[in-house]
Amino acid sequence: MTTFNIALLQISPTSSIDGNLAKGIDYCRQAKAMNADLALFPEAWQVGYAPELMNIENAIDNSNPFVAKHMQLAKELQMAIAVTFIKKDSGGPKNCLLVIDRHGKIILEYAKVHICDFKPDGMEQELTAGEKFSVAELDYGAGTVKLGAMICMDREFCESARTLSLNGAELVIVPNSCPLATDDMLGDARLAGFRAIGYQELLGVAMTN
């Protein structure tokens, strides 16, 4: 039996996109030094989940240097990277995650399906919802694992995990950005619900917040 190691990059954003890129690269290198097979960023790391930056002006595509540098880094480190950003799309910007394998190739692209739009102070009003949950097989050198992804609010709907399970996922990775403190009722409920996903669907689950 092989071991699959995930580095949960529990890091706070800087005040700029360039700063987030530099900090993220540094922490990916630290993750590799700790023998990680996959480094998982929190939600919308490119902009640090800053409401004022989650807009079409900061939306990027897969050819942008922010993505390209993570692809180069994954190949250099021989480590998969799950990076998050605001994705440019013809239907409107999306809250996106890319899984880049150890060869520097994108094997999974996911856009958040359940957008948080809590009016009048919603954080993601300008974003467009994704449409599907996909699974990809990640070759991490010592073996393979079938990965699925959700982002933050997706995990609050049992159908999200159920769909990924039916699609063959063994492990679901979840970039997140919301209060999860265990000293309040809401935080407890969210964590309990997250654990229940694994129990009910026979999945491994990993979240970076």
Side-chain angles (χ1 to χ4, degrees):
M1 180 178 291
T2 61
T3 300
F4 180 65
N5 298 314
I6 305 175
L8 305 178
L9 304 184
Q10 296 273 137
I11 50 180
S12 298
T14 71
S15 59
S16 71
I17 293 173
D18 288 342
N20 292 339
L21 174 61
K23 185 172 183 177
I25 288 173
D26 177 52
Y27 274 82
C28 281
R29 293 190 184 282
Q30 292 186 47
K32 179 61 179 180
M34 298 172 70
N35 298 315
D37 296 302
L38 169 70
L40 175 61
F41 279 93
E43 182 179 9
W45 175 251
Q46 171 216 10
V47 295
Y49 201 84
E52 67 277 10
L53 299 179
M54 297 177 71
N55 52 46
I56 194 168
E57 286 78 17
N58 289 313
I60 60 176
D61 59 27
N62 292 359
S63 65
N64 186 274
F66 183 88
V67 176
K69 288 181 180 180
H70 284 95
M71 294 173 70
Q72 295 165 3
L73 184 65
K75 185 175 182 179
E76 174 195 335
L77 298 178
Q78 288 287 290
M79 178 187 73
I81 298 174
V83 67
T84 56
F85 59 100
I86 304 304
K87 175 74 181 282
K88 184 181 294 184
D89 186 87
S90 59
K94 294 182 176 181
N95 189 336
C96 188
L97 170 142
L98 294 181
V99 177
I100 304 164
D101 72 9
R102 64 193 178 94
H103 305 294
K105 296 180 180 179
I106 297 170
I107 64 163
L108 177 65
E109 180 170 330
Y110 171 69
K112 186 176 182 179
V113 170
H114 298 98
I115 295 296
C116 297
D117 188 7
F118 304 121
K119 299 184 186 312
D121 300 316
M123 299 282 227
E124 303 178 31
Q125 297 101 320
E126 293 193 43
L127 303 186
T128 302
E131 298 178 348
K132 63 180 181 178
F133 294 96
S134 301
V135 174
E137 186 168 86
L138 174 66
D139 172 7
Y140 59 94
T144 61
V145 60
K146 292 181 179 179
L147 280 182
M150 299 186 289
I151 297 178
C152 201
M153 194 173 180
D154 290 327
R155 59 175 166 63
E156 297 190 17
F157 299 90
C158 59
E159 293 84 0
S160 306
R162 183 62 173 162
T163 300
L164 288 168
S165 178
L166 290 172
N167 287 342
E170 299 171 302
L171 170 66
V172 176
I173 54 175
V174 186
N176 202 73
S177 183
C178 71
L180 288 174
T182 57
D183 58 354
D184 68 79
M185 186 177 298
L186 182 57
D188 280 341
R190 284 171 169 162
L191 289 173
F194 189 63
R195 295 187 185 102
I197 289 171
Y199 176 75
Q200 292 173 339
E201 302 300 339
L202 301 179
L203 294 168
V205 291
M207 176 167 55
T208 302
N209 191 41

